[in-house]
Amino acid sequence: MTTAVAVDDRTEGAAGEELKNLYLETLTFVERLHRCLLDVIKDELDRIGCDEINSVQALLLFNIGDAELTAGELRTRGHYLGSNVSYNLKKLVDTGFIHHKRSEADRRSVRVSLTEKGHEIKELVDELYDRHMVSLKPVGEVTEEDLETVNTSLRRLERFWTDQIRYRL
């Protein structure tokens, strides 16, 4: 009986180690993919000669879109790795890419929306994504089904992490 338990422990240990390796690989991919996305956006900004903003700020503009949002709402909508949303919003106000105004409901809260200049960058990123859609399958060999599978897994991982925080697991 002790032998059976020891064999089961070794089997679970090997399976656990494989799961851990896959989990760590996924975490690495998530981080690298975000950095790659920022590099792709930076290349597009460089292509048009836009040096007023960086790729994180361009992604912020894209995520604001046609909405009027607070900094907190932006943080929950996007992934701004290693960035300070409030700092970037201030820079975007200073450079004329976004408007800001105090919320009428809560005077402590500031709401932001895009200026015409901000809309131009949002459209630039949107057009970049549209170009990607044309070549995603033939060049990247990424299908709609592939994206559905990845998105399902990432949603589950997000829910798992959220539960870890919420329920202190």
Side-chain angles (χ1 to χ4, degrees):
M1 184 156 165
T2 307
T3 307
V5 171
V7 170
D8 287 345
D9 286 347
R10 279 195 309 265
T11 305
E12 285 181 17
E17 193 63 30
E18 179 61 21
L19 179 61
K20 181 176 180 178
N21 289 337
L22 290 169
Y23 180 64
L24 293 175
E25 183 179 18
T26 300
L27 298 178
T28 300
F29 271 122
V30 168
E31 290 181 77
R32 277 200 332 235
L33 286 171
H34 182 67
R35 278 192 221 99
C36 283
L37 172 63
L38 294 177
D39 288 346
V40 167
I41 293 171
K42 181 189 180 320
D43 285 347
E44 192 69 7
L45 292 170
D46 290 347
R47 188 184 63 75
I48 66 161
C50 180
D51 59 0
E52 290 182 275
I53 62 172
N54 62 40
S55 56
V56 170
Q57 293 164 345
L59 193 55
L60 270 168
L61 294 172
F62 179 80
N63 287 327
I64 292 170
D66 295 326
E68 186 177 275
L69 304 167
T70 66
E73 290 168 330
L74 272 170
R75 269 190 297 275
T76 60
R77 285 183 177 204
H79 182 122
Y80 305 102
L81 184 68
S83 71
N84 181 318
V85 174
S86 297
Y87 168 81
N88 282 310
L89 289 176
K90 182 182 179 329
K91 291 301 250 182
L92 290 167
V93 168
D94 292 347
T95 53
F97 288 94
I98 61 173
H99 297 291
H100 71 101
K101 67 178 182 178
R102 293 257 172 235
S103 169
E104 293 179 19
D106 180 358
R107 301 301 294 164
R108 298 169 295 171
S109 178
V110 175
R111 301 194 67 75
V112 296
S113 60
L114 301 185
T115 63
E116 185 58 40
K117 196 173 168 182
H119 275 286
E120 290 173 11
I121 297 298
K122 176 206 154 283
E123 288 301 317
L124 175 85
V125 175
D126 193 45
E127 290 167 8
L128 172 67
Y129 291 166
D130 286 344
R131 284 198 319 272
H132 289 170
M133 293 307 98
V134 172
S135 61
L136 198 58
K137 186 175 180 180
V139 176
E141 298 181 12
V142 178
T143 66
E144 189 174 327
E145 294 80 24
D146 293 334
L147 291 174
E148 287 173 354
T149 300
V150 167
N151 289 342
T152 297
S153 296
L154 291 175
R155 265 189 233 99
R156 289 175 181 162
L157 192 54
E158 179 183 35
R159 186 177 61 236
F160 172 77
W161 286 340
T162 302
D163 288 350
Q164 296 297 303
I165 296 164
R166 181 178 295 136
Y167 302 115
R168 299 176 187 234
L169 301 175

